[in-house]
Coordinates of all heavy atoms in Angstrom, one line a residue:
A386 N -49.8 -24.1 15.4 CA -49.0 -25.3 15.8 C -48.4 -25.9 14.6 O -48.3 -27.1 14.5 CB -49.9 -26.3 16.5
H419 N -42.5 -5.6 8.3 CA -42.0 -4.6 7.4 C -40.5 -4.9 7.0 O -39.7 -5.0 7.9 CB -42.1 -3.2 8.1 CG -43.5 -2.8 8.5 ND1 -44.4 -2.4 7.6 CD2 -44.1 -2.8 9.7 CE1 -45.5 -2.1 8.2 NE2 -45.3 -2.3 9.5
N422 N -35.7 -3.0 1.4 CA -34.3 -3.2 0.8 C -34.0 -2.2 -0.3 O -34.9 -1.9 -1.1 CB -34.2 -4.6 0.2 CG -34.2 -5.7 1.3 OD1 -33.4 -5.8 2.2 ND2 -35.3 -6.5 1.2
Y427 N -23.9 4.1 -8.6 CA -23.8 5.4 -9.3 C -22.3 5.7 -9.8 O -21.4 5.7 -9.0 CB -24.2 6.6 -8.4 CG -24.2 7.9 -9.0 CD1 -25.0 8.2 -10.1 CD2 -23.3 8.9 -8.6 CE1 -25.0 9.5 -10.7 CE2 -23.3 10.2 -9.1 CZ -24.1 10.5 -10.2 OH -24.1 11.7 -10.8
R436 N -19.5 13.8 -18.0 CA -20.1 15.1 -18.1 C -19.1 16.2 -17.7 O -19.1 17.3 -18.3 CB -21.4 15.2 -17.2 CG -22.1 16.6 -17.3 CD -23.3 16.5 -16.5 NE -24.0 17.8 -16.6 CZ -25.1 18.1 -15.9 NH1 -25.7 17.2 -15.1 NH2 -25.7 19.3 -16.0
N440 N -12.3 16.3 -21.3 CA -11.1 16.5 -22.1 C -9.9 16.6 -21.3 O -8.9 17.2 -21.8 CB -11.3 17.7 -23.0 CG -12.5 17.6 -23.9 OD1 -12.6 16.5 -24.5 ND2 -13.3 18.7 -24.1
V441 N -9.9 16.2 -20.0 CA -8.7 16.3 -19.2 C -7.6 15.4 -19.7 O -7.8 14.4 -20.4 CB -9.0 16.0 -17.7 CG1 -10.0 17.0 -17.2 CG2 -9.6 14.6 -17.6
H443 N -4.3 12.6 -19.3 CA -4.3 11.2 -18.7 C -4.1 11.3 -17.2 O -4.6 10.5 -16.5 CB -3.2 10.4 -19.4 CG -3.6 10.0 -20.8 ND1 -4.6 9.1 -21.1 CD2 -3.1 10.5 -22.0 CE1 -4.7 9.0 -22.4 NE2 -3.8 9.8 -23.0
L449 N -9.3 11.5 -11.3 CA -10.8 11.9 -11.2 C -11.7 10.9 -11.8 O -12.8 10.7 -11.3 CB -11.0 13.3 -11.9 CG -10.3 14.5 -11.3 CD1 -10.7 15.7 -12.1 CD2 -10.7 14.6 -9.8
Q467 N -41.0 -15.1 22.2 CA -42.0 -16.0 22.7 C -42.5 -15.7 24.1 O -41.6 -15.5 25.0 CB -41.5 -17.4 22.6 CG -42.6 -18.5 22.6 CD -42.0 -19.8 22.3 OE1 -41.3 -20.4 23.1 NE2 -42.3 -20.4 21.1
I492 N -51.9 -3.1 31.1 CA -50.5 -2.6 31.0 C -50.0 -2.8 29.6 O -50.0 -4.0 29.1 CB -49.6 -3.2 32.0 CG1 -50.1 -3.0 33.4 CG2 -48.2 -2.7 31.8 CD1 -49.2 -3.6 34.5
P493 N -49.6 -1.8 28.9 CA -49.1 -2.0 27.5 C -47.8 -2.8 27.5 O -47.1 -2.7 28.5 CB -48.9 -0.5 27.0 CG -48.7 0.3 28.3 CD -49.6 -0.3 29.3
L503 N -32.0 2.9 24.6 CA -31.8 1.6 25.2 C -30.3 1.5 25.6 O -29.4 1.8 24.8 CB -32.2 0.5 24.3 CG -33.7 0.3 24.1 CD1 -34.0 -0.8 23.1 CD2 -34.4 0.0 25.4
F513 N -39.8 -3.3 27.3 CA -41.1 -3.9 27.7 C -41.4 -3.5 29.2 O -40.5 -3.4 30.0 CB -41.2 -5.4 27.6 CG -40.9 -5.9 26.2 CD1 -40.0 -6.9 26.0 CD2 -41.5 -5.3 25.1 CE1 -39.7 -7.4 24.7 CE2 -41.3 -5.8 23.8 CZ -40.4 -6.8 23.6
N514 N -42.7 -3.4 29.5 CA -43.2 -3.2 30.9 C -43.2 -4.5 31.6 O -43.7 -5.5 31.1 CB -44.6 -2.6 30.9 CG -44.6 -1.1 30.5 OD1 -43.9 -0.3 31.2 ND2 -45.4 -0.8 29.5
A522 N -50.6 -19.6 36.7 CA -50.6 -20.3 38.0 C -50.4 -21.8 37.8 O -50.8 -22.3 36.7 CB -51.9 -20.0 38.8
G527 N -52.2 -20.9 30.2 CA -51.9 -19.5 30.0 C -52.9 -19.0 28.9 O -53.4 -19.8 28.0
T528 N -53.2 -17.7 28.9 CA -54.2 -17.1 28.0 C -53.6 -16.2 26.9 O -54.3 -15.8 26.0 CB -55.2 -16.3 28.8 OG1 -54.5 -15.3 29.6 CG2 -55.9 -17.2 29.8
R537 N -41.7 -7.8 20.4 CA -40.6 -8.1 19.5 C -39.5 -7.1 19.8 O -39.6 -6.1 20.4 CB -41.1 -8.0 18.1 CG -41.5 -6.6 17.6 CD -41.8 -6.6 16.1 NE -42.9 -7.4 15.7 CZ -42.9 -8.3 14.8 NH1 -41.7 -8.7 14.2 NH2 -44.0 -9.0 14.4
P556 N -4.1 0.7 -22.2 CA -5.2 0.4 -23.1 C -4.9 -0.7 -24.1 O -3.8 -0.8 -24.7 CB -5.5 1.7 -23.8 CG -4.8 2.7 -23.0 CD -3.6 2.1 -22.4
N557 N -5.8 -1.6 -24.3 CA -5.7 -2.6 -25.3 C -7.1 -3.2 -25.6 O -7.9 -3.4 -24.7 CB -4.8 -3.8 -24.7 CG -4.5 -4.9 -25.7 OD1 -5.4 -5.5 -26.3 ND2 -3.2 -5.1 -25.9
N560 N -7.1 -7.1 -24.3 CA -6.8 -7.4 -22.9 C -6.2 -6.1 -22.3 O -4.9 -6.1 -22.0 CB -5.8 -8.6 -22.8 CG -6.4 -9.9 -23.3 OD1 -7.4 -10.3 -22.8 ND2 -5.7 -10.5 -24.3
N572 N -22.0 -1.5 7.8 CA -22.7 -0.8 8.9 C -22.0 0.6 8.9 O -21.4 1.0 9.9 CB -22.6 -1.5 10.2 CG -23.3 -0.8 11.3 OD1 -24.2 0.1 11.0 ND2 -23.1 -1.2 12.6
F574 N -22.7 3.7 9.3 CA -22.9 4.7 10.4 C -22.7 4.1 11.8 O -23.1 4.8 12.7 CB -24.4 5.3 10.2 CG -24.6 6.0 8.9 CD1 -25.5 5.4 8.0 CD2 -23.9 7.1 8.5 CE1 -25.7 6.1 6.7 CE2 -24.1 7.7 7.3 CZ -25.0 7.2 6.4
M606 N -10.4 -2.7 2.5 CA -9.9 -2.1 1.2 C -9.0 -3.1 0.5 O -8.4 -4.0 1.1 CB -9.1 -0.8 1.6 CG -9.9 0.4 2.1 SD -9.0 1.9 2.3 CE -8.1 1.4 3.8
F612 N -5.5 -8.3 -16.1 CA -4.6 -8.2 -17.3 C -4.9 -9.4 -18.1 O -5.4 -10.4 -17.7 CB -3.2 -8.1 -16.9 CG -2.6 -9.2 -16.1 CD1 -2.1 -10.3 -16.6 CD2 -2.7 -9.1 -14.7 CE1 -1.6 -11.3 -15.8 CE2 -2.2 -10.1 -13.9 CZ -1.7 -11.2 -14.4

Side-chain angles (χ1 to χ4, degrees):
H419 303 285
N422 292 297
Y427 179 64
R436 182 177 180 182
N440 298 317
V441 297
H443 289 288
L449 297 181
Q467 198 172 69
I492 299 178
L503 292 176
F513 302 132
N514 283 306
T528 59
R537 64 171 71 237
N557 186 302
N560 298 302
N572 188 14
F574 301 113
M606 291 184 286
F612 56 92

